[in-house]
PDB file of all heavy atoms in Angstrom:
ATOM      1  N   ASP Q   1       0.814  -1.220   0.000  1.00 52.00           N
ATOM      2  CA  ASP Q   1       0.000   0.000   0.000  1.00 52.00           C
ATOM      3  C   ASP Q   1       0.848   1.271   0.000  1.00 52.00           C
ATOM      4  O   ASP Q   1       0.560   2.234   0.705  1.00 52.00           O
ATOM      5  CB  ASP Q   1      -0.950   0.006   1.199  1.00 52.00           C
ATOM      6  CG  ASP Q   1      -2.206  -0.811   0.929  1.00 52.00           C
ATOM      7  OD1 ASP Q   1      -2.467  -1.121  -0.247  1.00 52.00           O
ATOM      8  OD2 ASP Q   1      -2.913  -1.141   1.888  1.00 52.00           O
ATOM      9  N   GLY Q   2       1.914   1.255  -0.800  1.00 51.00           N
ATOM     10  CA  GLY Q   2       2.723   2.461  -0.950  1.00 51.00           C
ATOM     11  C   GLY Q   2       3.698   2.706   0.176  1.00 51.00           C
ATOM     12  O   GLY Q   2       4.438   3.698   0.156  1.00 51.00           O
ATOM     13  N   VAL Q   3       3.739   1.832   1.180  1.00 49.00           N
ATOM     14  CA  VAL Q   3       4.723   1.945   2.258  1.00 49.00           C
ATOM     15  C   VAL Q   3       5.867   0.999   1.919  1.00 49.00           C
ATOM     16  O   VAL Q   3       5.717  -0.223   1.960  1.00 49.00           O
ATOM     17  CB  VAL Q   3       4.112   1.581   3.629  1.00 49.00           C
ATOM     18  CG1 VAL Q   3       5.171   1.652   4.715  1.00 49.00           C
ATOM     19  CG2 VAL Q   3       2.954   2.526   3.941  1.00 49.00           C
ATOM     20  N   ASP Q   4       7.022   1.573   1.547  1.00 45.00           N
ATOM     21  CA  ASP Q   4       8.141   0.795   1.025  1.00 45.00           C
ATOM     22  C   ASP Q   4       9.247   0.675   2.072  1.00 45.00           C
ATOM     23  O   ASP Q   4       9.935   1.650   2.387  1.00 45.00           O
ATOM     24  CB  ASP Q   4       8.689   1.461  -0.242  1.00 45.00           C
ATOM     25  CG  ASP Q   4       9.694   0.579  -0.973  1.00 45.00           C
ATOM     26  OD1 ASP Q   4      10.093  -0.460  -0.402  1.00 45.00           O
ATOM     27  OD2 ASP Q   4      10.083   0.931  -2.100  1.00 45.00           O
ATOM     28  N   ASN Q   5       9.408  -0.529   2.601  1.00 45.00           N
ATOM     29  CA  ASN Q   5      10.453  -0.792   3.590  1.00 45.00           C
ATOM     30  C   ASN Q   5      11.501  -1.752   3.045  1.00 45.00           C
ATOM     31  O   ASN Q   5      12.172  -2.451   3.812  1.00 45.00           O
ATOM     32  CB  ASN Q   5       9.837  -1.381   4.872  1.00 45.00           C
ATOM     33  CG  ASN Q   5       8.991  -0.372   5.614  1.00 45.00           C
ATOM     34  OD1 ASN Q   5       9.299   0.816   5.632  1.00 45.00           O
ATOM     35  ND2 ASN Q   5       7.915  -0.839   6.247  1.00 45.00           N
ATOM     36  N   THR Q   6      11.654  -1.780   1.725  1.00 47.00           N
ATOM     37  CA  THR Q   6      12.579  -2.745   1.135  1.00 47.00           C
ATOM     38  C   THR Q   6      14.034  -2.442   1.492  1.00 47.00           C
ATOM     39  O   THR Q   6      14.862  -3.344   1.557  1.00 47.00           O
ATOM     40  CB  THR Q   6      12.441  -2.759  -0.402  1.00 47.00           C
ATOM     41  OG1 THR Q   6      12.548  -1.412  -0.905  1.00 47.00           O
ATOM     42  CG2 THR Q   6      11.104  -3.337  -0.816  1.00 47.00           C
ATOM     43  N   GLY Q   7      14.354  -1.187   1.748  1.00 45.00           N
ATOM     44  CA  GLY Q   7      15.744  -0.835   2.045  1.00 45.00           C
ATOM     45  C   GLY Q   7      16.008  -0.548   3.501  1.00 45.00           C
ATOM     46  O   GLY Q   7      17.055  -0.002   3.858  1.00 45.00           O
ATOM     47  N   VAL Q   8      15.099  -0.935   4.391  1.00 47.00           N
ATOM     48  CA  VAL Q   8      15.238  -0.603   5.797  1.00 47.00           C
ATOM     49  C   VAL Q   8      16.394  -1.378   6.421  1.00 47.00           C
ATOM     50  O   VAL Q   8      16.724  -2.492   6.007  1.00 47.00           O
ATOM     51  CB  VAL Q   8      13.915  -0.902   6.545  1.00 47.00           C
ATOM     52  CG1 VAL Q   8      13.693  -2.401   6.684  1.00 47.00           C
ATOM     53  CG2 VAL Q   8      13.902  -0.236   7.901  1.00 47.00           C
ATOM     54  N   ASP Q   9      17.043  -0.775   7.401  1.00 45.00           N
ATOM     55  CA  ASP Q   9      18.131  -1.434   8.113  1.00 45.00           C
ATOM     56  C   ASP Q   9      17.616  -2.707   8.783  1.00 45.00           C
ATOM     57  O   ASP Q   9      16.547  -2.721   9.402  1.00 45.00           O
ATOM     58  CB  ASP Q   9      18.712  -0.490   9.171  1.00 45.00           C
ATOM     59  CG  ASP Q   9      19.916  -1.100   9.871  1.00 45.00           C
ATOM     60  OD1 ASP Q   9      21.038  -0.962   9.341  1.00 45.00           O
ATOM     61  OD2 ASP Q   9      19.729  -1.704  10.939  1.00 45.00           O
ATOM     62  N   ASN Q  10      18.380  -3.780   8.680  1.00 51.00           N
ATOM     63  CA  ASN Q  10      17.943  -5.090   9.151  1.00 51.00           C
ATOM     64  C   ASN Q  10      17.585  -5.086  10.638  1.00 51.00           C
ATOM     65  O   ASN Q  10      16.664  -5.795  11.068  1.00 51.00           O
ATOM     66  CB  ASN Q  10      19.045  -6.119   8.891  1.00 51.00           C
ATOM     67  CG  ASN Q  10      18.578  -7.539   9.144  1.00 51.00           C
ATOM     68  OD1 ASN Q  10      17.639  -8.001   8.512  1.00 51.00           O
ATOM     69  ND2 ASN Q  10      19.225  -8.227  10.070  1.00 51.00           N
ATOM     70  N   SER Q  11      18.272  -4.278  11.436  1.00 54.00           N
ATOM     71  CA  SER Q  11      18.029  -4.269  12.878  1.00 54.00           C
ATOM     72  C   SER Q  11      16.618  -3.805  13.223  1.00 54.00           C
ATOM     73  O   SER Q  11      16.070  -4.161  14.279  1.00 54.00           O
ATOM     74  CB  SER Q  11      19.050  -3.368  13.579  1.00 54.00           C
ATOM     75  OG  SER Q  11      18.898  -2.027  13.167  1.00 54.00           O
ATOM     76  N   ARG Q  12      16.009  -3.012  12.332  1.00 57.00           N
ATOM     77  CA  ARG Q  12      14.671  -2.502  12.600  1.00 57.00           C
ATOM     78  C   ARG Q  12      13.581  -3.553  12.366  1.00 57.00           C
ATOM     79  O   ARG Q  12      12.413  -3.322  12.646  1.00 57.00           O
ATOM     80  CB  ARG Q  12      14.394  -1.263  11.747  1.00 57.00           C
ATOM     81  CG  ARG Q  12      15.327  -0.094  12.055  1.00 57.00           C
ATOM     82  CD  ARG Q  12      14.934   1.137  11.293  1.00 57.00           C
ATOM     83  NE  ARG Q  12      13.656   1.680  11.763  1.00 57.00           N
ATOM     84  CZ  ARG Q  12      12.966   2.620  11.116  1.00 57.00           C
ATOM     85  NH1 ARG Q  12      13.427   3.101   9.977  1.00 57.00           N
ATOM     86  NH2 ARG Q  12      11.828   3.063  11.605  1.00 57.00           N
ATOM     87  N   LEU Q  13      13.979  -4.725  11.838  1.00 67.00           N
ATOM     88  CA  LEU Q  13      13.022  -5.801  11.592  1.00 67.00           C
ATOM     89  C   LEU Q  13      12.813  -6.686  12.821  1.00 67.00           C
ATOM     90  O   LEU Q  13      12.093  -7.678  12.753  1.00 67.00           O
ATOM     91  CB  LEU Q  13      13.497  -6.672  10.421  1.00 67.00           C
ATOM     92  CG  LEU Q  13      13.670  -5.976   9.064  1.00 67.00           C
ATOM     93  CD1 LEU Q  13      14.182  -6.963   8.030  1.00 67.00           C
ATOM     94  CD2 LEU Q  13      12.371  -5.353   8.599  1.00 67.00           C
ATOM     95  N   TYR Q  14      13.446  -6.313  13.957  1.00 82.00           N
ATOM     96  CA  TYR Q  14      13.334  -7.117  15.170  1.00 82.00           C
ATOM     97  C   TYR Q  14      12.957  -6.217  16.345  1.00 82.00           C
ATOM     98  O   TYR Q  14      13.709  -5.331  16.745  1.00 82.00           O
ATOM     99  CB  TYR Q  14      14.649  -7.841  15.460  1.00 82.00           C
ATOM    100  CG  TYR Q  14      15.066  -8.749  14.320  1.00 82.00           C
ATOM    101  CD1 TYR Q  14      15.955  -8.302  13.348  1.00 82.00           C
ATOM    102  CD2 TYR Q  14      14.544 -10.040  14.204  1.00 82.00           C
ATOM    103  CE1 TYR Q  14      16.318  -9.116  12.291  1.00 82.00           C
ATOM    104  CE2 TYR Q  14      14.904 -10.860  13.155  1.00 82.00           C
ATOM    105  CZ  TYR Q  14      15.784 -10.401  12.196  1.00 82.00           C
ATOM    106  OH  TYR Q  14      16.138 -11.200  11.151  1.00 82.00           O
ATOM    107  N   THR Q  15      11.758  -6.452  16.907  1.00 87.00           N
ATOM    108  CA  THR Q  15      11.256  -5.652  18.019  1.00 87.00           C
ATOM    109  C   THR Q  15      11.879  -6.123  19.335  1.00 87.00           C
ATOM    110  O   THR Q  15      12.126  -7.318  19.528  1.00 87.00           O
ATOM    111  CB  THR Q  15       9.726  -5.783  18.115  1.00 87.00           C
ATOM    112  OG1 THR Q  15       9.154  -5.524  16.825  1.00 87.00           O
ATOM    113  CG2 THR Q  15       9.148  -4.790  19.104  1.00 87.00           C
ATOM    114  N   GLN Q  16      12.100  -5.177  20.248  1.00 89.00           N
ATOM    115  CA  GLN Q  16      12.681  -5.497  21.546  1.00 89.00           C
ATOM    116  C   GLN Q  16      11.583  -5.706  22.598  1.00 89.00           C
ATOM    117  O   GLN Q  16      10.517  -5.077  22.538  1.00 89.00           O
ATOM    118  CB  GLN Q  16      13.615  -4.365  21.993  1.00 89.00           C
ATOM    119  CG  GLN Q  16      14.771  -4.126  21.047  1.00 89.00           C
ATOM    120  CD  GLN Q  16      15.589  -5.377  20.799  1.00 89.00           C
ATOM    121  OE1 GLN Q  16      16.030  -6.037  21.754  1.00 89.00           O
ATOM    122  NE2 GLN Q  16      15.785  -5.726  19.537  1.00 89.00           N
ATOM    123  N   PRO Q  17      11.833  -6.580  23.592  1.00 92.00           N
ATOM    124  CA  PRO Q  17      10.813  -6.851  24.632  1.00 92.00           C
ATOM    125  C   PRO Q  17      10.366  -5.596  25.377  1.00 92.00           C
ATOM    126  O   PRO Q  17       9.183  -5.476  25.738  1.00 92.00           O
ATOM    127  CB  PRO Q  17      11.532  -7.828  25.568  1.00 92.00           C
ATOM    128  CG  PRO Q  17      12.561  -8.493  24.713  1.00 92.00           C
ATOM    129  CD  PRO Q  17      13.008  -7.459  23.737  1.00 92.00           C
ATOM    130  N   GLU Q  18      11.276  -4.660  25.616  1.00 95.00           N
ATOM    131  CA  GLU Q  18      10.925  -3.437  26.327  1.00 95.00           C
ATOM    132  C   GLU Q  18       9.892  -2.620  25.550  1.00 95.00           C
ATOM    133  O   GLU Q  18       9.002  -1.993  26.150  1.00 95.00           O
ATOM    134  CB  GLU Q  18      12.168  -2.593  26.597  1.00 95.00           C
ATOM    135  CG  GLU Q  18      13.177  -3.228  27.530  1.00 95.00           C
ATOM    136  CD  GLU Q  18      14.099  -4.234  26.853  1.00 95.00           C
ATOM    137  OE1 GLU Q  18      13.960  -4.443  25.619  1.00 95.00           O
ATOM    138  OE2 GLU Q  18      14.951  -4.818  27.540  1.00 95.00           O
ATOM    139  N   ASP Q  19      10.012  -2.636  24.223  1.00 94.00           N
ATOM    140  CA  ASP Q  19       9.050  -1.906  23.388  1.00 94.00           C
ATOM    141  C   ASP Q  19       7.669  -2.551  23.459  1.00 94.00           C
ATOM    142  O   ASP Q  19       6.644  -1.855  23.524  1.00 94.00           O
ATOM    143  CB  ASP Q  19       9.525  -1.875  21.937  1.00 94.00           C
ATOM    144  CG  ASP Q  19      10.835  -1.112  21.773  1.00 94.00           C
ATOM    145  OD1 ASP Q  19      11.096  -0.204  22.598  1.00 94.00           O
ATOM    146  OD2 ASP Q  19      11.580  -1.408  20.828  1.00 94.00           O
ATOM    147  N   ILE Q  20       7.640  -3.870  23.447  1.00 95.00           N
ATOM    148  CA  ILE Q  20       6.373  -4.593  23.552  1.00 95.00           C
ATOM    149  C   ILE Q  20       5.697  -4.279  24.882  1.00 95.00           C
ATOM    150  O   ILE Q  20       4.479  -4.043  24.937  1.00 95.00           O
ATOM    151  CB  ILE Q  20       6.600  -6.118  23.430  1.00 95.00           C
ATOM    152  CG1 ILE Q  20       7.198  -6.471  22.059  1.00 95.00           C
ATOM    153  CG2 ILE Q  20       5.295  -6.875  23.660  1.00 95.00           C
ATOM    154  CD1 ILE Q  20       6.302  -6.187  20.900  1.00 95.00           C
ATOM    155  N   TRP Q  21       6.477  -4.256  25.942  1.00 97.00           N
ATOM    156  CA  TRP Q  21       5.906  -3.971  27.257  1.00 97.00           C
ATOM    157  C   TRP Q  21       5.343  -2.556  27.319  1.00 97.00           C
ATOM    158  O   TRP Q  21       4.287  -2.322  27.920  1.00 97.00           O
ATOM    159  CB  TRP Q  21       6.935  -4.177  28.360  1.00 97.00           C
ATOM    160  CG  TRP Q  21       6.408  -3.750  29.694  1.00 97.00           C
ATOM    161  CD1 TRP Q  21       6.769  -2.672  30.430  1.00 97.00           C
ATOM    162  CD2 TRP Q  21       5.342  -4.380  30.417  1.00 97.00           C
ATOM    163  NE1 TRP Q  21       6.031  -2.584  31.577  1.00 97.00           N
ATOM    164  CE2 TRP Q  21       5.139  -3.629  31.599  1.00 97.00           C
ATOM    165  CE3 TRP Q  21       4.551  -5.510  30.196  1.00 97.00           C
ATOM    166  CZ2 TRP Q  21       4.178  -3.963  32.547  1.00 97.00           C
ATOM    167  CZ3 TRP Q  21       3.587  -5.836  31.139  1.00 97.00           C
ATOM    168  CH2 TRP Q  21       3.401  -5.078  32.292  1.00 97.00           C
ATOM    169  N   ASP Q  22       6.027  -1.594  26.696  1.00 97.00           N
ATOM    170  CA  ASP Q  22       5.525  -0.213  26.673  1.00 97.00           C
ATOM    171  C   ASP Q  22       4.156  -0.149  26.002  1.00 97.00           C
ATOM    172  O   ASP Q  22       3.266   0.584  26.447  1.00 97.00           O
ATOM    173  CB  ASP Q  22       6.520   0.699  25.949  1.00 97.00           C
ATOM    174  CG  ASP Q  22       7.768   0.979  26.768  1.00 97.00           C
ATOM    175  OD1 ASP Q  22       7.744   0.737  27.996  1.00 97.00           O
ATOM    176  OD2 ASP Q  22       8.774   1.435  26.183  1.00 97.00           O
ATOM    177  N   VAL Q  23       3.991  -0.919  24.924  1.00 98.00           N
ATOM    178  CA  VAL Q  23       2.691  -0.977  24.240  1.00 98.00           C
ATOM    179  C   VAL Q  23       1.652  -1.616  25.146  1.00 98.00           C
ATOM    180  O   VAL Q  23       0.548  -1.085  25.338  1.00 98.00           O
ATOM    181  CB  VAL Q  23       2.809  -1.776  22.918  1.00 98.00           C
ATOM    182  CG1 VAL Q  23       1.425  -1.979  22.305  1.00 98.00           C
ATOM    183  CG2 VAL Q  23       3.720  -1.061  21.938  1.00 98.00           C
ATOM    184  N   TYR Q  24       1.997  -2.761  25.702  1.00 98.00           N
ATOM    185  CA  TYR Q  24       1.050  -3.494  26.547  1.00 98.00           C
ATOM    186  C   TYR Q  24       0.597  -2.651  27.736  1.00 98.00           C
ATOM    187  O   TYR Q  24      -0.609  -2.584  28.044  1.00 98.00           O
ATOM    188  CB  TYR Q  24       1.688  -4.794  27.031  1.00 98.00           C
ATOM    189  CG  TYR Q  24       0.768  -5.630  27.895  1.00 98.00           C
ATOM    190  CD1 TYR Q  24      -0.076  -6.582  27.324  1.00 98.00           C
ATOM    191  CD2 TYR Q  24       0.726  -5.454  29.287  1.00 98.00           C
ATOM    192  CE1 TYR Q  24      -0.936  -7.341  28.110  1.00 98.00           C
ATOM    193  CE2 TYR Q  24      -0.126  -6.211  30.069  1.00 98.00           C
ATOM    194  CZ  TYR Q  24      -0.956  -7.150  29.487  1.00 98.00           C
ATOM    195  OH  TYR Q  24      -1.812  -7.895  30.261  1.00 98.00           O
ATOM    196  N   SER Q  25       1.539  -2.013  28.401  1.00 98.00           N
ATOM    197  CA  SER Q  25       1.193  -1.263  29.603  1.00 98.00           C
ATOM    198  C   SER Q  25       0.304  -0.065  29.285  1.00 98.00           C
ATOM    199  O   SER Q  25      -0.550   0.320  30.089  1.00 98.00           O
ATOM    200  CB  SER Q  25       2.456  -0.812  30.337  1.00 98.00           C
ATOM    201  OG  SER Q  25       3.275  -0.008  29.515  1.00 98.00           O
TER     202      SER Q  25
END
């Protein structure tokens, strides 16, 4: 849908547990 992440840095393809907890809380 026009959002192009083909060239994104590989590290951004992996979410960290702390980020998940921030969302959950």
Side-chain angles (χ1 to χ4, degrees):
D1 278 345
V3 178
D4 190 350
N5 292 325
T6 52
V8 72
D9 184 86
N10 189 60
S11 64
R12 297 186 68 192
L13 300 178
Y14 301 95
T15 309
Q16 299 305 308
E18 295 82 0
D19 296 332
I20 298 295
W21 174 251
D22 287 344
V23 173
Y24 181 90
S25 59

